[in-house]
Every structure is written in structure tokens, then in C-alpha cells.
Amino acid sequence: LRWLLYGDACVEIKNNQNEIKFDWQVVPQNDPEGPILTVEATFKNKKPFTDCWCAGEDFAGSVENPNYGKVDKKCTISRFMNRPDDAADLLFCPKCEGGICGEANKKRDEIGSPKPIWLNWNFYTEVEGKLGGEGLALFRQEVEKSFPQTKVEPPVTTCTLSVLNVPVPQFGCSDLDNPEDGYGFGVNVKNLECGFATWFNCVEDLPQLGGSANKLHVADINFNLGRCPTPAPVPTPTPPPTNFPTPKPQEPCVDYDCCKLIDITIDECNDLGGIFCPGDDEN
């Protein structure tokens, strides 16, 4: 079962913390109105391609011009788990599928592929996150259908993400400022666009899948990276008007003869009592 994004989806790239984080909602591809599955994930502990066993000379030949076909077809979990002792500290990566890495290499003159094409890929060895929402029941149903050994009593109703014994999650983009003009050179194992790929299991299923000897994965995530939309400018709020009292109309002072010639208000005229005009001596 494939799942597609529901609504907007953002990827937070924290280079200063060596992390990638996303919090998404997805729905079944065959039922866009179906139950929503939530995906919360933070991938940590970034590593370079030089930490990858399948990118090394002992496996792929030349570091700059590796045998991409061999990486595509023979970089498997079984071979990785039986790697030489002197490669014990290396990681299960990079991952290529469907000839996409070889395609990126052939298009070097067209898209500027580096040597090797995974030169600037980042690999993340740790994950924190989980699946949830109403769609989790459907996800669990599909997992149990494909991997009957995961069907246990009481049923598993959660999914805590695990990247144990799966290809190390990988991310790459030649132009993070404008990903749609950049390339990932096959990093998402689906196309040449900037993107990300991870394979995972649910922690809750690991005992049924073989524990530390597990060689399976129940699901994967692949996506292209796009440019974040420019947020609409926030209008500056208009301050409320200040309520000044409405001035009373000024009426000429006509009640007293001495004030008829003076431009003062009736109140001021009355205050004078009509006895004298301002500036005159009282008499």
C-alpha cells in the first residue's frame, strides 16, 4: 500500500544539529479521503559517504569511479552482515535501486554529477519518531498481511520507528537554496531530484522479525525536496483611532454689548459677567 501526502509537508533541515525533521500527514494513494496516518520523525547523527561500506574500495572499487551496478545489485543486508572484521565500523550504505545511481553517473555532463555521485550525500544513523493517527490501524493491517510473523496477540497498535539493520537513511541536494533547480543524483532511489530515502521497521515488530539478526524492513519513505513557499507578508496592524472629544461649536458672544466686539465664547463671556471686556479696567 502506498501513501501520499495530505496537505502541506515541510522538512526542517538542522545542519548545525546534524538533523532532519518532518511531521506529516499521509493518506492511502487509492483512497485520498481515507484515514490519515501521521508521521513524526527526526533523523540524527549525520555521517559522510566515507563511513559507508558499499562506497569503499574493498566493495565498489575506485572511490571516485565506483562500480555503480555492483552497489545497486549486491549491497545487501546479508553481505553487509558478513563484511570483513576490519570493516566492522562501517555503515550499510549507500543505497541504489533500479539503476538510478548509474543513470546519474551517465548524465554527469548534463546535470553536473560529482565523483562519486554520493559525494555530498548525508547519512543518518539514528531516528526518533512514530506513526499514529486513524491510519495506523490500516498500516498495521498491511504490515501483518505482508509479514504474517508480525501478527501477534494482543495485536500491535503502535509503531515506533527503527532503522536497525536497514540501509542508512540518506539525503542529498546540490542546491538547498532552490532545491527544484538542484539534484540529489539518485539519493531518493526514485529519480535524480533533491530528496531523501529511508527504510524502517516498527520497534514493536523487531522480536517477530528476528531481532538483531533481522534482514527485513516493513516500509520505506521516499520524497523529492521542493522549495518552501514564500510566506505571505504579515500586514502591520492599523492602530485604533484615538477618540478625542468632539469640539463644541463656537458661538459668538452677543449677550453683552462690551463683548460683541471681542472674539470669545459664550462661556467665557458669561464668566466675565458682562461687566468688562478682557484687557479693560474694571469700572
Side-chain angles (χ1 to χ4, degrees):
L1 177 65
R2 297 189 65 185
W3 300 76
L4 299 179
L5 288 172
Y6 178 81
D8 294 333
C10 291
V11 178
E12 187 175 359
I13 303 169
K14 298 182 176 181
N15 284 326
N16 59 331
Q17 299 178 30
N18 295 327
E19 292 182 2
I20 286 184
K21 180 179 181 180
F22 49 84
D23 189 349
W24 292 351
Q25 293 182 329
V26 296
V27 292
Q29 182 182 28
N30 60 2
D31 185 10
E33 302 299 322
I36 293 175
L37 177 68
T38 60
V39 184
E40 302 172 24
T42 300
F43 294 86
K44 301 181 177 183
N45 197 25
K46 183 173 69 175
K47 299 293 184 180
F49 86 93
T50 50
D51 284 4
C52 295
W53 180 61
C54 295
E57 290 185 354
D58 290 344
F59 184 87
S62 169
V63 172
E64 287 192 357
N65 295 292
N67 184 333
Y68 292 107
K70 182 176 181 180
V71 175
D72 192 319
K73 301 295 184 181
K74 297 186 177 181
C75 182
T76 64
I77 184 61
S78 295
R79 282 188 168 88
F80 174 74
M81 294 178 75
N82 289 288
R83 66 194 183 281
D85 292 340
D86 59 2
D89 294 334
L90 297 179
L91 305 172
F92 181 26
C93 57
K95 181 64 174 175
C96 294
E97 289 182 358
I100 195 66
C101 292
E103 180 182 348
N105 182 56
K106 292 177 182 177
K107 292 185 175 181
R108 174 169 289 107
D109 293 340
E110 177 184 345
I111 64 176
S113 306
K115 292 184 177 183
I117 57 104
W118 44 67
L119 177 68
N120 298 310
W121 292 6
N122 295 324
F123 301 87
Y124 297 85
T125 64
E126 300 174 12
V127 63
E128 293 179 0
K130 62 181 179 179
L131 305 183
E134 293 182 359
L136 182 58
L138 177 58
F139 176 84
R140 292 297 325 167
Q141 177 181 318
E142 292 297 314
V143 169
E144 292 174 2
K145 183 187 301 183
S146 299
F147 304 91
Q149 65 269 44
T150 64
K151 189 173 184 179
V152 295
E153 292 295 338
V156 174
T157 58
T158 56
C159 181
T160 307
L161 302 183
S162 169
V163 291
L164 175 68
N165 290 1
V166 298
V168 179
Q170 53 194 40
F171 169 83
C173 184
S174 63
D175 188 354
L176 279 177
D177 291 331
N178 191 2
E180 292 170 0
D181 286 342
Y183 293 96
F185 311 110
V187 71
N188 63 11
V189 304
K190 299 297 181 182
N191 53 51
L192 302 180
E193 307 300 318
C194 290
F196 175 87
T198 185
W199 301 258
F200 68 90
N201 287 304
C202 302
V203 170
E204 294 81 356
D205 291 327
L206 289 178
Q208 292 73 249
L209 293 174
S212 61
N214 170 49
K215 297 181 181 180
L216 304 172
H217 67 271
V218 301
D220 55 80
I221 298 173
N222 312 83
F223 62 79
N224 293 350
L225 197 65
R227 192 172 188 175
C228 292
T230 302
V234 179
T236 303
T238 303
T242 303
N243 294 321
F244 294 105
T246 303
K248 296 180 180 179
Q250 299 290 317
E251 298 182 42
C253 180
V254 297
D255 292 351
Y256 303 101
D257 290 341
C258 70
C259 291
K260 288 182 180 179
L261 304 177
I262 301 172
D263 186 15
I264 63 176
T265 66
I266 292 176
D267 290 339
E268 291 171 332
C269 189
N270 290 336
D271 289 342
L272 294 172
I275 299 172
F276 62 93
C277 292
D280 292 348
D281 294 330
E282 184 177 355
N283 52 47

